[in-house]
C-alpha cells in the first residue's frame, strides 16, 4: 500500500508531531509512505525529520493557510501532478487547508482521501466568522471524504453535523512512541521546589498568559516564585516574554522550539496546558508518558484524555483556578506522585504509537477503492 501524507505546514506543532509518529509507525509495518508538505520554509522541521527516516518528501510551497483562490489553485495543480506521478493508493490529509486541497485532488484523480481532523475550526471557542466559514467548507467537502478520522469523541460529535455517513467517521486517539524513562532526574531539591513545564506553540488557542498570571498569584500566596519553562515558539512568543517581564517573573523561561522534549520534561514535576479549545493535545500525552502531575484546561478533548480526578486536575479557563490547582500540587508531593503514576498508566493503556498505527491501518483498509482509479 502506498500512502501520500499531506499536511499544510512542516513547522513544529501537534499535527506535525502526529504525522511524524504516524509515518514512522506505518513505515515500520511495511506501508510505502510519501509526504507532501506545504509552506514556504525551505527546510521545515517535519521534512528534515522524515528525510532522516529515508522517506520521500515532496514540497508544496503554494499550500498554506491562505484562502487566496489563485494560491489554492496552484497548490491543487501541484498536488494533482504529484498524485498522477506517484499513483498512491490513498491520500491522507492533516489540517484544514491540506484537507481542502487533498480532497479536491482526490476527486480529480480518483484517489480516495482519508482526512484526519486534528480539531474542527467550527467548534465553540473559535471566532464566529471563522466558525461559519470553516463549517461551510467542511460541509461542501464532506462527500469527498472516503474516511474521516477524528482524534476525539467530541470531534466525532461535531462531525455528525456534516453530510457524511456515520460509518465513514471513526475516532482514533493520538498516540506517541514510548521512550526509555530516565533515571531519578527529579532530585530531592526539585521535589522540594517542584518546577512547572508547558509545551505549546505560542499562538491561539494556547493560553500561556493564564499560566503567567497564575505564577504571579502563586508568588504572592507562597512568598516565593515557582520556576516555569515555556517550551515552544510561535508568533506570540515575544508578547508572552514581555508579559512575564511586566509581572516581574524572574524564574519564567522561554527557550522557544527545542529538541529532546522527553528528557526536558523529566526535569520538571508539573505539566500545565492552558487553552481555549483543543482536539486531543499531543503535549498532554507527552506529559502522561513522562509520569508528570498535570493541570489542564477543562475542555472536552482533554476530558477524554484525562477523565478522572486521579489522572489530572482540570480547571476553568482563568488564572485563579489555575493558581489554586498548582498550589495544591506544589504543597503535596504525595498527590503529585500518585497523579504521575496514574497518568503514565493511562498512556500505556490507551495512547501508544503502536495502537494508533494499527487503528489507522484498519481505516486505510476500509478506504481502498474497489474499482481502478481514474488515470
Amino acid at each position: 500500500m502506498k500512502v501520500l501524507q499531506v499536511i499544510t505546514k512542516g513547522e513544529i506543532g501537534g499535527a506535525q508531531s502526529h504525522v511524524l509518529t504516524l509515518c514512522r509507525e506505518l513505515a515500520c509495518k511495511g506501508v510505502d509512505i510519501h509526504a507532501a508538505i506545504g509552506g514556504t520554509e525551505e527546510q521545515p522541521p517535519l521534512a528534515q525529520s522524515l528525510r532522516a527516516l529515508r522517506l520521500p518528501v515532496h514540497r508544496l510551497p503554494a499550500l498554506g493557510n491562505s484562502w487566496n483562490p489563485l494560491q489554492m489553485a496552484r497548490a491543487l495543480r501541484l498536488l494533482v501532478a504529484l498524485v498522477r506521478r506517484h499513483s498512491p493508493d490513498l491520500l491522507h490529509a492533516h489540517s484544514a487547508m491540506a484537507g481542502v486541497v487533498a480532497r479536491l485532488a482526490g476527486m480529480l484523480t480518483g484517489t480516495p482521501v482519508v482526512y484526519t481532523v486534528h480539531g474542527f475550526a467550527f467548534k465553540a471557542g473559535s471566532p464566529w466568522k471563522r466558525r461559519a466559514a470553516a463549517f461551510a467548507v467542511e460541509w461542501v467537502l464532506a462527500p469527498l471524504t472516503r474516511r474521516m478520522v477524528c482524534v476525539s469523541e467530541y470531534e466525532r460529535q461535531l462531525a455528525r453535523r456534516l453530510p457524511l455517513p456515520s460509518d465513514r467517521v471513526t475516532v482514533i486517539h493520538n498516540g506517541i512512541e514510548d521512550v526509555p524513562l530516565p533515571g531519578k532526574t527529579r532530585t530531592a531539591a526539585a521535589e522540594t521546589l517542584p518546577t512547572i513545564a508547558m509545551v505549546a506553540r505560542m499562538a491561539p488557542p494556547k493560553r500561556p498568559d493564564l499560566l503567567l498570571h497564575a505564577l504571579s498569584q502563586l508568588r504572592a500566596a507562597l512568598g516565593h516564585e515557582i520556576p516555569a519553562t515555556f517550551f515552544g515558539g510561535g508568533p506570540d512568543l515575544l508578547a508572552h516574554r514581555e508579559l512575564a517581564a511586566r509581572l516581574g517573573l524572574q524564574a519564567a523561561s522561554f527557550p522557544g522550539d527545542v529538541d529532546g522534549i522527553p528528557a526536558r520534561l523529566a526535569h520538571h514535576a508539573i505539566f500545565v496546558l492552558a487553552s481555549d479549545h483543543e482536539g486531543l493535545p499531543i503535549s498532554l500525552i507527552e506529559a502522561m508518558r513522562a509520569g508528570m502531575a498535570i493541570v489542564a484546561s477543562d475542555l472536552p478533548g482533554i476530558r477524554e484524555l484525562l477523565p478522572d480526578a486521579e489522572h489530572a486536575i482540570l480547571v476553568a479557563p482563568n488564572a485563579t483556578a489555575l493558581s489554586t490547582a498548582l498550589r495544591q500540587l506544589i504543597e503535596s508531593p504525595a498527590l503529585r506522585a500518585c497523579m504521575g503514576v496514574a497518568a503514565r498508566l493511562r498512556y500505556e493503556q490507551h495512547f501508544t504509537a503502536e495502537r494508533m498505527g494499527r487503528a489507522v491501518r484498519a481505516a486505510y483498509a476500509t478506504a481502498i477503492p474497489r474499482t481502478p482509479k481514474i488515470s
Side-chain angles (χ1 to χ4, degrees), residues 152-368:
S152 70
E153 184 60 41
Y154 174 63
E155 300 293 334
R156 174 157 62 181
Q157 295 305 315
L158 293 175
R160 294 180 65 181
R161 305 178 191 176
L162 302 172
L164 188 65
S166 60
D167 62 355
R168 284 161 59 185
V169 182
T170 187
V171 173
I172 301 177
H173 290 139
N174 290 328
I176 59 176
E177 296 105 337
D178 201 359
V179 293
L181 290 176
K184 292 183 175 297
T185 54
R186 294 187 187 118
T187 63
E191 285 302 323
T192 302
L193 183 62
T195 56
I196 296 168
M198 180 170 177
V199 178
R201 187 166 185 269
M202 298 291 152
K206 312 302 183 186
R207 296 293 305 275
D209 58 303
L210 293 181
L211 178 52
L212 289 168
H213 284 289
L215 291 170
S216 178
Q217 294 181 18
L218 273 175
R219 180 183 56 194
L222 299 175
H224 58 83
E225 190 174 339
I226 301 297
T229 305
F230 295 77
F231 297 105
D236 295 340
L237 177 57
L238 179 59
H240 293 312
R241 283 176 171 161
E242 292 174 345
L243 175 58
R246 289 198 302 273
L247 293 172
L249 295 172
Q250 298 180 350
S253 60
F254 297 82
D257 290 327
V258 295
D259 295 324
I261 287 296
R264 294 174 188 273
L265 291 184
H267 293 277
H268 296 77
I270 301 170
F271 188 92
V272 173
L273 183 64
S275 305
D276 286 329
H277 57 86
E278 287 287 351
L280 198 85
I282 289 176
S283 65
L284 276 183
I285 305 177
E286 291 175 327
M288 295 162 68
R289 178 181 63 188
M292 300 177 74
I294 296 170
V295 180
S297 297
D298 189 5
L299 298 168
I302 293 179
R303 282 183 227 124
E304 229 167 292
L305 265 178
L306 301 158
D308 300 321
E310 66 176 318
H311 301 127
I313 302 177
L314 304 187
V315 298
N318 63 73
T320 300
L322 189 53
S323 173
T324 300
L326 287 172
R327 183 172 183 178
Q328 184 180 358
L329 287 174
I330 288 164
E331 294 180 341
S332 177
L335 179 60
R336 293 199 303 272
C338 288
M339 280 193 166
V341 169
R344 168 71 193 185
L345 180 60
R346 184 157 174 78
Y347 157 74
E348 292 173 352
Q349 293 174 337
H350 300 285
F351 301 105
T352 63
E354 193 279 334
R355 179 212 51 79
M356 178 182 70
R358 185 171 61 247
V360 169
R361 292 199 307 276
Y364 287 172
T366 65
I368 294 174

Side-chain angles (χ1 to χ4, degrees), residues 77-102:
R77 185 170 63 250
L78 288 170
L79 183 56
V80 166
L82 188 63
V83 171
R84 287 179 171 155
R85 185 161 64 249
H86 293 279
S87 299
D89 298 298
L90 294 169
L91 300 180
H92 188 169
H94 303 264
S95 64
M97 293 306 298
V100 171
V101 175

